[in-house]
Amino acid sequence: MKENRTAIVTGGTAGLGKALVEILLGKKWNVATFGRRPDLVRALIKETGSDNLLAESCDLTNQEQVSVFLEKAQQRFGSPDLLVLNAGELGPTPLKPIREWRLLDFRLVFEANFFSNLGLIQHVLRTHGTAVTIVHVTSDAAANNYPGWAAYSASKAAMDHLIRTLQVEEKGGSVRAFSFDPGDMDTEMHRKALPQDKPESLKRPTQSAEELFEEILRRERSYVE
């Protein structure tokens, strides 16, 4: 493996994304990440104090903003070795049954959780010829049916299917892709969706991030072997 490896992590300013960014920086990776909230971006930069970090305020669903950010990441760090699709959209809360959802809200969830991720995958595949690992952060909601979770669940399930198709298409090549379920974590999104859950019953994002990093390494070792 090359030195000074580079990762792009979406939604890296809070929760699982932030925990993973901190782990990667601790392992001397270069990390490019973004989030929608400028205050969290500034806090991440201040907390890490790392020269190996590129963090900016950016909306995943804004193609122009994302393109500018990716160009900056390329100029600063070169081609990515890892793309982690972590950012996600739950939709309006409190969660409602399908009959009460606006069609526009369904479309906005899919734009964030599916189409924007697809655009990032295509960008990496089309512009970088080097080996890359692509990770989609999924959820058990993609395989199980929970009242009120229709948009989130369907968008995650669609991404899982796309990742499996990518695995088949890139089999034997230099692109590795998989979905990772971090479990029920104590995050802002979980608290909005299920405010009745007690924090002590949920996983810490740092634990899930450590598990994800180990899974990335395991799959890369398996590929080399």
Side-chain angles (χ1 to χ4, degrees):
M1 297 183 183
K2 72 178 185 181
E3 296 182 0
N4 299 321
R5 307 188 73 204
T6 295
I8 296 174
V9 181
T10 68
T13 59
L16 174 67
K18 180 181 179 183
L20 180 61
V21 166
E22 291 171 343
I23 289 174
L24 292 169
L25 291 174
K27 301 293 184 180
K28 307 305 180 183
W29 283 58
N30 299 318
V31 180
T33 190
F34 59 82
R36 287 180 292 188
R37 293 161 57 178
D39 57 328
L40 295 185
V41 172
R42 291 192 296 269
L44 178 66
I45 294 172
K46 183 177 180 180
E47 289 172 20
T48 62
S50 175
D51 292 333
N52 292 349
L53 174 67
L54 171 64
E56 292 190 357
S57 176
C58 179
D59 186 340
L60 179 64
T61 64
N62 188 313
Q63 187 175 7
E64 183 177 350
Q65 287 184 8
V66 173
S67 295
V68 170
F69 177 82
L70 292 175
E71 180 61 27
K72 290 181 180 179
Q74 170 68 25
Q75 292 178 358
R76 182 164 172 181
F77 298 134
S79 299
D81 303 282
L82 174 66
L83 171 63
V84 181
L85 304 170
N86 167 71
E89 177 61 54
L90 181 63
T93 54
L95 297 174
K96 300 173 291 187
I98 293 172
R99 68 170 68 229
E100 297 180 16
W101 273 72
R102 296 190 310 161
L103 184 58
L104 174 60
D105 288 330
F106 251 94
R107 286 176 170 163
L108 291 175
V109 171
F110 264 82
E111 185 62 39
N113 295 351
F114 182 80
F115 290 109
S116 295
N117 284 337
L118 172 58
L120 280 170
I121 290 173
Q122 290 182 317
H123 172 85
V124 169
L125 295 179
R126 291 170 177 172
T127 60
H128 305 295
T130 56
V132 63
T133 297
I134 299 172
V135 183
H136 166 233
V137 177
T138 188
S139 165
D140 74 308
N144 298 293
N145 305 113
Y146 302 119
W149 288 74
Y152 182 84
S153 298
S155 61
K156 287 293 185 180
M159 268 303 301
D160 284 348
H161 194 95
L162 186 142
I163 290 294
R164 290 194 297 271
T165 302
L166 184 61
Q167 289 172 342
V168 173
E169 292 178 349
E170 299 292 335
K171 186 175 182 180
S174 59
V175 176
R176 299 169 292 279
F178 67 96
S179 290
F180 176 82
D181 180 2
D184 293 332
M185 298 179 292
D186 182 18
T187 63
E188 182 178 359
M189 178 182 287
H190 190 99
R191 290 190 291 273
K192 286 182 178 180
L194 301 169
Q196 71 276 15
D197 286 358
K198 297 180 179 180
E200 56 268 23
S201 68
L202 304 172
K203 292 176 66 176
R204 293 175 296 105
T206 51
Q207 178 185 347
S208 294
E210 290 167 356
E211 293 169 354
L212 172 53
F213 184 67
E214 288 302 317
E215 181 64 13
I216 292 168
L217 296 183
R218 186 190 71 79
R219 288 177 178 261
E220 289 188 342
R221 286 194 296 267
S222 176
Y223 175 80
V224 172
E225 293 170 0

